[in-house]
Amino acid sequence: MSTEIKKQLKKGQLSPVYLLYGTENFLINEIKQEIITTALNQEEYDFNLSTYDMNEVSVETAVEDAETLPFMGEKRVVILKNAAFLTGTKEKQKVEHNLKRLETYINDPVPYTCLIIEAPYEKLDERKKVVKLIKKQFEVLHASPMNEKLVYSWLYERAGEHHITLTSDGADRLLQLLGAKLMLLSSEIAKMALYVGEGGEINSETVDLLVARTLENDIFALVDRVVHRKLEEAFRILYDLFQQNEEPIKIAALLVRQFRIIYHVKELTRRGYSQKQIAATLKIHPYGVKVAAGQAKFFKGKDLSAIIAAFAEADYQMKTGFMDKKLILEMLITKLKND
């Protein structure tokens, strides 16, 4: 994670070289921006901030710029984007790179430049000398997608940066609504932090109040209310969806999808699968599995099969004009509550 680099930057400590690699672009972009703002004042950006796309420009050109003295300032920041030459890719690159030139610079970087090397790829070629040199001597961020434990730690850390408290049920609700989308999670925590104020607390109620609603979020909430037999709240969500002109057939399709997930999670759990294995098998996020596992406890397997069959019948009735589509959906939700 990026914690150590952030600590150093807060102290104003800059490394001559940073390697930022991995597929979690949010973390890469966040750390890159913090390096820039630590090294430069905004007025210096035009003179002392340079970005080179390694798909278009040779590494020698970027290194020459890194060795150039800063203009009207103490620091320069030079960014090398898309450094595919650090990977084991066999694809022919449009630009030939003299990596010896970069290796020479890495061994003796100038003190007035921060060289940021971005490699938005899952893996680097650890056999390459330049990769070994950077990893041995300088700061490296591996921005890979986080597992469940790391995402929770990241959420609590982010809340701490805003000087607020995030409760465990608040974190659960955020992840249920947004998944592990760090950019969305970051912006929502920042927004809620402004609402609760410094020293305040974000819980599940705060999340439900302030996080922007989507159709999928509403479907999740609707299923959750049905599972817990909260019929009045379920109908309130359903009528909101009707007011938003959501198509009943579409609502039903999303609802049955969630019940199928609950059914499959229950069945795979019975077979001894772990939640991680279930997520891989069903190709859904681990948080979805965790939620579905909790909901599955309220049903027997045969009950879920009957619910799925009821949705199939309702779909047929809606598509054949058996009666008003909204009424069919209302009757189905009432039946689910009573099952």
Side-chain angles (χ1 to χ4, degrees):
M1 292 179 67
S2 55
T3 307
E4 288 306 314
I5 296 178
K6 282 187 174 183
K7 286 180 181 177
Q8 292 173 5
L9 292 173
K10 284 180 179 178
K11 296 176 183 176
Q13 298 172 356
L14 287 161
S15 173
V17 178
Y18 291 92
L19 170 57
L20 314 178
Y21 80 98
T23 55
E24 185 51 80
N25 290 328
F26 174 81
L27 293 178
I28 289 177
N29 290 330
E30 182 182 51
I31 287 295
K32 177 176 67 175
Q33 191 57 47
E34 290 197 29
I35 295 168
I36 293 170
T37 54
T38 301
L40 305 175
N41 296 321
Q42 196 159 6
E43 309 86 67
E44 298 175 310
Y45 285 13
D46 290 341
F47 306 110
N48 294 320
L49 175 61
S50 305
T51 301
Y52 296 93
D53 187 340
M54 295 292 96
N55 290 325
E56 306 292 339
V57 181
S58 71
V59 72
E60 300 99 301
T61 301
V63 170
E64 286 175 9
D65 190 12
E67 292 174 333
T68 303
L69 286 166
F71 181 73
M72 297 178 65
E74 297 182 0
K75 289 284 185 182
R76 288 183 64 75
V77 176
V78 177
I79 302 168
L80 279 59
K81 292 181 62 178
N82 301 316
F85 53 74
L86 297 181
T87 71
T89 179
K90 303 298 182 185
E91 295 179 16
K92 184 171 176 58
Q93 298 176 15
K94 291 191 290 184
V95 180
E96 291 294 324
H97 297 287
N98 180 2
L99 295 187
K100 292 287 185 186
R101 181 76 173 88
L102 180 58
E103 289 167 12
T104 301
Y105 181 86
I106 295 299
N107 277 318
D108 188 23
V110 296
Y112 46 78
T113 294
C114 283
L115 183 70
I116 303 173
I117 304 174
E118 282 186 60
Y121 315 106
E122 186 176 353
K123 294 180 180 179
L124 304 182
D125 188 344
E126 303 287 343
R127 299 166 299 179
K128 291 188 174 183
K129 184 178 179 181
V130 65
V131 174
K132 292 178 181 177
L133 285 173
I134 297 171
K135 284 196 164 187
K136 182 179 179 181
Q137 301 181 57
F138 298 110
E139 297 298 330
V140 177
L141 170 68
H142 184 194
S144 60
M146 298 179 188
N147 60 31
E148 180 179 346
K149 183 178 179 181
L150 286 177
V151 174
Y152 275 99
S153 295
W154 181 86
L155 281 173
Y156 296 132
E157 178 187 316
R158 184 54 53 115
E161 290 174 2
H162 288 285
H163 307 291
I164 50 107
T165 300
L166 175 64
T167 65
S168 59
D169 70 303
D172 285 341
R173 188 72 178 127
L174 266 175
L175 291 171
Q176 288 167 4
L177 293 177
L178 304 176
K181 299 171 185 174
L182 300 189
M183 184 176 293
L184 273 176
L185 290 168
S186 177
S187 62
E188 291 297 340
I189 286 177
K191 178 176 71 179
M192 289 185 286
L194 286 174
Y195 177 80
V196 301
E198 187 169 334
E201 179 182 275
I202 295 174
N203 55 30
S204 60
E205 292 180 359
T206 319
V207 174
D208 285 334
L209 177 66
L210 296 177
V211 170
R213 288 169 52 185
T214 66
L215 175 57
E216 285 197 355
N217 291 349
D218 283 336
I219 293 297
F220 172 85
L222 179 52
V223 170
D224 196 61
R225 300 307 187 275
V226 170
V227 166
H228 291 91
R229 307 300 196 262
K230 297 179 179 179
L231 189 60
E232 184 178 339
E233 293 180 24
F235 273 115
R236 191 179 304 135
I237 295 168
L238 182 64
Y239 293 145
D240 281 347
L241 292 173
F242 288 161
Q243 287 183 342
Q244 295 165 35
N245 294 318
E246 294 292 351
E247 170 59 46
I249 293 175
K250 183 179 180 182
I251 296 171
L254 291 170
L255 284 170
V256 74
R257 175 181 179 273
Q258 187 61 32
F259 277 105
R260 284 198 189 100
I261 290 172
I262 295 170
Y263 173 81
H264 288 306
V265 168
K266 188 175 187 69
E267 178 61 22
L268 291 172
T269 301
R270 185 184 67 79
R271 296 183 192 177
Y273 282 57
S274 68
Q275 289 193 4
K276 184 176 181 181
Q277 290 171 321
I278 294 173
T281 302
L282 300 182
K283 295 182 172 56
I284 60 176
H285 201 277
Y287 308 112
V289 174
K290 180 180 178 181
V291 171
Q295 294 171 334
K297 295 175 183 177
F298 291 88
F299 301 96
K300 295 178 181 178
K302 64 179 183 179
D303 296 333
L304 290 167
S305 296
I307 288 171
I308 292 168
F311 270 103
E313 177 64 21
D315 180 72
Y316 174 78
Q317 291 177 349
M318 284 190 277
K319 289 177 178 176
T320 56
F322 178 77
M323 67 172 68
D324 181 79
K325 290 184 286 187
K326 292 180 180 178
L327 180 58
I328 292 171
L329 198 48
E330 289 171 357
M331 291 172 64
L332 176 57
I333 287 175
T334 302
K335 182 177 184 297
L336 293 180
K337 188 261 181 184
N338 294 325
D339 284 347

